[in-house]
Amino acid sequence: MDKRLNKIDKFRTNLWYLLFWPAYILCFVGLEFLTEGKQFHLVHCFLDDMIPFCEWFVIPYLTWHPLIAIVLLYTLINETENFRKLSRYFILTFTVTMVIYMIYPTRLELRPETVPEMFILSDIINFVYTVDTPENVCPSLHIIGMIGMFVWSWDARGKASLFWKIVMIVATVLIVLSTLFMKQHSVVDVIVALPISFIGWLLCFRGKEMEDISEGI
């Protein structure tokens, strides 16, 4: 009985981590107004010009948000400690990224002038381009988020099944490529996301000090 109550208490405690997500959404939307009128730094490299636009990549691109929700829900129910690790990873890396956006606003000019007509895909892409502006892009949150979920699935201390490992390999490859082929991010955005993701992994999945601090939360 005591073990069951302890498990319920931990579950309730972990729910507090979910409060980060509405705060993150508000901050991300608010950045559009905070950076309005500021000088944006154009992000571009020669590799961007070698990558063609491909409308089919809008499909994996749109799976990013649902995938985060599914993984968080799965770990919340089945892997309590991994849920906390992954949540701390998101909180740390996404907050750092938001600060970078405020200090160093960035912008892309990679999108095609016109989106090729292709059944419903063109409408979806135009919608994505409308709601997801080409501003505040470096580093890429899509890349940082995917690396976090990939690390969770393959972490030696984790309990992710072979199914989740395969899903994360495929999803990571497709979503990373989708940010480039959808012209939503530059190769530079991907590269800059890597050290932030590495630090997040080091502190949240491997850092003993972070583990000790989290026990008091």
Side-chain angles (χ1 to χ4, degrees), residues 41-213:
H41 303 271
L42 191 64
V43 182
H44 180 266
C45 76
F46 73 96
L47 292 174
D48 298 328
D49 300 327
M50 300 171 63
I51 301 172
F53 171 80
C54 180
E55 58 274 4
W56 286 102
F57 276 99
V58 72
I59 298 173
Y61 185 83
L62 290 176
T63 63
W64 186 72
H65 288 94
L67 189 58
I68 288 179
I70 291 170
V71 169
L72 285 176
L73 181 60
Y74 172 82
T75 53
L76 176 63
I77 296 173
N78 300 289
E79 301 180 20
T80 302
E81 186 56 34
N82 285 329
F83 169 80
R84 298 176 72 176
K85 289 179 181 179
L86 191 55
S87 293
R88 291 195 299 268
Y89 172 89
F90 283 129
I91 293 171
L92 174 64
T93 57
F94 280 31
T95 300
V96 169
T97 300
M98 291 293 174
V99 173
I100 293 173
Y101 289 167
M102 292 180 64
I103 297 174
Y104 192 80
T106 50
R107 178 181 175 84
L108 291 177
E109 293 183 358
L110 299 174
R111 295 178 175 181
E113 293 183 5
T114 57
V115 176
E117 290 291 334
M118 190 172 181
F119 191 45
I120 197 174
L121 287 182
S122 56
D123 294 329
I124 296 175
I125 292 168
N126 284 321
F127 174 75
V128 170
Y129 280 176
T130 300
V131 299
D132 195 355
T133 67
E135 298 169 352
N136 298 318
V137 292
C138 185
S140 168
L141 285 171
H142 265 69
I143 305 304
I144 293 172
M146 282 312 305
I147 291 177
M149 291 186 285
F150 178 83
V151 166
W152 154 71
S153 65
W154 284 89
D155 186 73
R157 303 177 191 176
K159 301 176 183 177
S161 65
L162 179 61
F163 168 78
W164 274 113
K165 295 180 191 297
I166 294 173
V167 167
M168 284 304 146
I169 290 176
V170 175
T172 300
V173 171
L174 289 177
I175 290 177
V176 170
L177 290 177
S178 74
T179 65
L180 301 174
F181 282 88
M182 272 283 293
K183 299 300 180 179
Q184 286 291 87
H185 283 286
S186 165
V187 173
V188 176
D189 304 336
V190 176
I191 294 173
V192 176
L194 297 180
I196 296 175
S197 302
F198 176 75
I199 293 172
W201 166 77
L202 209 59
L203 294 177
C204 301
F205 285 87
R206 283 290 181 267
K208 184 65 171 64
E209 292 181 2
M210 186 67 75
E211 293 285 337
D212 294 336
I213 292 173

Side-chain angles (χ1 to χ4, degrees), residues 3-56:
K3 288 183 178 180
R4 184 177 179 183
L5 289 174
N6 186 46
K7 189 174 182 180
I8 293 173
D9 288 339
K10 284 186 177 181
F11 181 83
R12 290 174 178 172
T13 302
N14 287 336
L15 287 176
W16 286 102
Y17 283 102
L18 298 179
L19 292 178
F20 165 74
W21 292 101
Y24 152 71
I25 293 171
L26 287 174
C27 288
F28 191 83
V29 173
L31 274 174
E32 295 290 327
F33 298 97
L34 288 175
T35 56
E36 187 175 357
K38 286 190 175 182
Q39 180 180 358
F40 285 90
H41 303 271
L42 191 64
V43 182
H44 180 266
C45 76
F46 73 96
L47 292 174
D48 298 328
D49 300 327
M50 300 171 63
I51 301 172
F53 171 80
C54 180
E55 58 274 4
W56 286 102

